[in-house]
Coordinates of all heavy atoms in Angstrom, one line a residue:
T191 N 1.7 -62.8 -76.7 CA 2.9 -62.9 -75.8 C 4.1 -63.1 -76.7 O 4.1 -64.0 -77.5 CB 2.8 -64.0 -74.8 OG1 1.6 -63.8 -74.0 CG2 4.0 -64.0 -73.9
I192 N 5.1 -62.2 -76.5 CA 6.3 -62.4 -77.3 C 7.4 -62.9 -76.3 O 7.5 -62.5 -75.2 CB 6.8 -61.1 -78.0 CG1 7.9 -61.4 -79.0 CG2 7.2 -60.1 -76.9 CD1 8.2 -60.2 -79.9
S193 N 8.2 -63.9 -76.8 CA 9.3 -64.4 -76.0 C 10.5 -64.7 -76.9 O 10.4 -64.6 -78.2 CB 8.8 -65.7 -75.4 OG 8.4 -66.7 -76.3
R194 N 11.6 -65.0 -76.3 CA 12.8 -65.2 -77.1 C 13.6 -66.4 -76.5 O 13.5 -66.8 -75.4 CB 13.7 -64.0 -77.0 CG 14.3 -63.7 -75.6 CD 14.9 -62.3 -75.6 NE 15.5 -62.0 -74.3 CZ 16.8 -62.1 -74.0 NH1 17.6 -62.5 -74.9 NH2 17.2 -61.8 -72.8
D195 N 14.3 -67.0 -77.4 CA 15.2 -68.1 -77.1 C 16.6 -67.6 -77.6 O 16.9 -67.6 -78.7 CB 14.9 -69.4 -77.8 CG 15.8 -70.6 -77.4 OD1 16.9 -70.3 -77.0 OD2 15.3 -71.7 -77.6
S196 N 17.4 -67.1 -76.6 CA 18.6 -66.4 -76.9 C 19.6 -67.5 -77.6 O 20.3 -67.0 -78.5 CB 19.2 -65.8 -75.7 OG 18.4 -64.8 -75.1
A197 N 19.6 -68.6 -77.1 CA 20.5 -69.6 -77.7 C 20.3 -69.9 -79.1 O 21.2 -70.2 -79.9 CB 20.5 -70.9 -76.8
K198 N 19.0 -69.8 -79.6 CA 18.7 -70.1 -80.9 C 18.4 -68.8 -81.7 O 18.0 -69.0 -82.9 CB 17.5 -71.0 -81.0 CG 17.7 -72.4 -80.3 CD 16.4 -73.3 -80.4 CE 16.7 -74.6 -79.8 NZ 15.5 -75.5 -79.9
N199 N 18.6 -67.7 -81.1 CA 18.3 -66.4 -81.8 C 16.9 -66.4 -82.5 O 16.7 -66.0 -83.6 CB 19.4 -66.1 -82.8 CG 20.7 -65.9 -82.2 OD1 20.9 -65.2 -81.2 ND2 21.7 -66.6 -82.8
T200 N 15.9 -66.8 -81.6 CA 14.6 -67.0 -82.1 C 13.6 -66.2 -81.2 O 13.8 -66.3 -80.0 CB 14.2 -68.5 -82.2 OG1 15.1 -69.2 -83.1 CG2 12.8 -68.6 -82.7
V201 N 12.7 -65.6 -81.8 CA 11.6 -65.0 -81.1 C 10.3 -65.7 -81.5 O 10.1 -66.1 -82.7 CB 11.5 -63.5 -81.3 CG1 12.7 -62.8 -80.8 CG2 11.3 -63.1 -82.8
T202 N 9.3 -65.8 -80.6 CA 8.1 -66.4 -80.8 C 7.0 -65.5 -80.4 O 7.1 -64.9 -79.3 CB 8.0 -67.7 -80.0 OG1 9.0 -68.6 -80.4 CG2 6.6 -68.4 -80.2
L203 N 6.0 -65.4 -81.2 CA 4.8 -64.6 -80.9 C 3.6 -65.6 -80.7 O 3.1 -66.1 -81.7 CB 4.5 -63.6 -82.0 CG 3.3 -62.6 -81.7 CD1 3.6 -61.7 -80.5 CD2 3.0 -61.8 -82.9
Q204 N 3.2 -65.7 -79.5 CA 2.0 -66.6 -79.2 C 0.8 -65.7 -79.3 O 0.7 -64.7 -78.5 CB 2.1 -67.2 -77.8 CG 0.9 -68.1 -77.4 CD 0.8 -69.3 -78.3 OE1 1.7 -69.9 -78.6 NE2 -0.5 -69.6 -78.6
M205 N -0.1 -66.0 -80.2 CA -1.3 -65.2 -80.4 C -2.5 -66.0 -80.0 O -2.8 -67.0 -80.6 CB -1.4 -64.8 -81.9 CG -0.2 -64.1 -82.4 SD -0.4 -63.4 -84.1 CE -0.5 -65.0 -85.0
D206 N -3.2 -65.6 -79.0 CA -4.4 -66.2 -78.4 C -5.6 -65.2 -78.6 O -5.4 -64.1 -78.8 CB -4.2 -66.6 -76.9 CG -3.1 -67.6 -76.7 OD1 -2.9 -68.5 -77.5 OD2 -2.3 -67.4 -75.7
S207 N -6.7 -65.8 -78.4 CA -8.0 -65.0 -78.5 C -8.0 -64.2 -79.8 O -8.3 -63.0 -79.8 CB -8.2 -64.2 -77.3 OG -8.2 -64.9 -76.1
L208 N -7.7 -64.8 -80.9 CA -7.5 -64.1 -82.2 C -8.9 -63.5 -82.6 O -10.0 -64.1 -82.4 CB -7.0 -65.0 -83.2 CG -5.5 -65.3 -83.1 CD1 -5.1 -66.5 -84.0 CD2 -4.7 -64.1 -83.6
K209 N -8.8 -62.4 -83.2 CA -9.9 -61.7 -83.7 C -9.8 -61.4 -85.2 O -8.7 -61.4 -85.8 CB -10.1 -60.3 -83.1 CG -10.2 -60.3 -81.6 CD -10.2 -58.9 -81.0 CE -10.3 -58.9 -79.5 NZ -10.3 -57.5 -78.9
P210 N -10.9 -61.3 -86.0 CA -10.8 -61.0 -87.4 C -9.9 -59.9 -87.7 O -9.2 -59.9 -88.8 CB -12.2 -60.8 -87.8 CG -13.0 -61.6 -86.9 CD -12.3 -61.5 -85.5
E211 N -9.9 -58.8 -86.9 CA -9.0 -57.7 -87.2 C -7.6 -57.9 -87.0 O -6.7 -57.1 -87.3 CB -9.5 -56.5 -86.3 CG -9.6 -56.8 -84.8 CD -11.0 -57.1 -84.4 OE1 -11.7 -57.8 -85.1 OE2 -11.4 -56.6 -83.2
D212 N -7.2 -59.1 -86.5 CA -5.8 -59.5 -86.5 C -5.3 -60.0 -87.8 O -4.1 -60.2 -88.0 CB -5.6 -60.6 -85.4 CG -5.8 -60.1 -84.0 OD1 -5.4 -59.0 -83.7 OD2 -6.4 -60.9 -83.2
T213 N -6.2 -60.2 -88.8 CA -5.8 -60.6 -90.1 C -4.9 -59.6 -90.7 O -5.2 -58.4 -90.8 CB -7.1 -60.8 -91.0 OG1 -7.9 -61.9 -90.4 CG2 -6.7 -61.2 -92.4
A214 N -3.7 -60.1 -91.2 CA -2.7 -59.2 -91.7 C -1.6 -60.1 -92.2 O -1.5 -61.3 -91.9 CB -2.3 -58.2 -90.7
V215 N -0.7 -59.4 -92.9 CA 0.6 -60.0 -93.1 C 1.5 -59.5 -92.0 O 1.6 -58.4 -91.7 CB 1.2 -59.5 -94.5 CG1 2.6 -60.1 -94.7 CG2 0.3 -59.9 -95.6

């Protein structure tokens, strides 16, 4: 899930149910 905080110019990526194939830079 991606979300944003406009006041702080910040985006957050919440990563749940992670899988080995999510391994990356």
Side-chain angles (χ1 to χ4, degrees):
T191 303
I192 191 166
S193 60
R194 66 188 181 103
D195 184 336
S196 297
K198 298 181 179 180
N199 298 311
T200 299
V201 295
T202 298
L203 184 67
Q204 178 66 40
M205 304 186 294
D206 298 320
S207 302
L208 284 164
K209 303 176 180 179
E211 51 262 43
D212 294 319
T213 296
V215 177

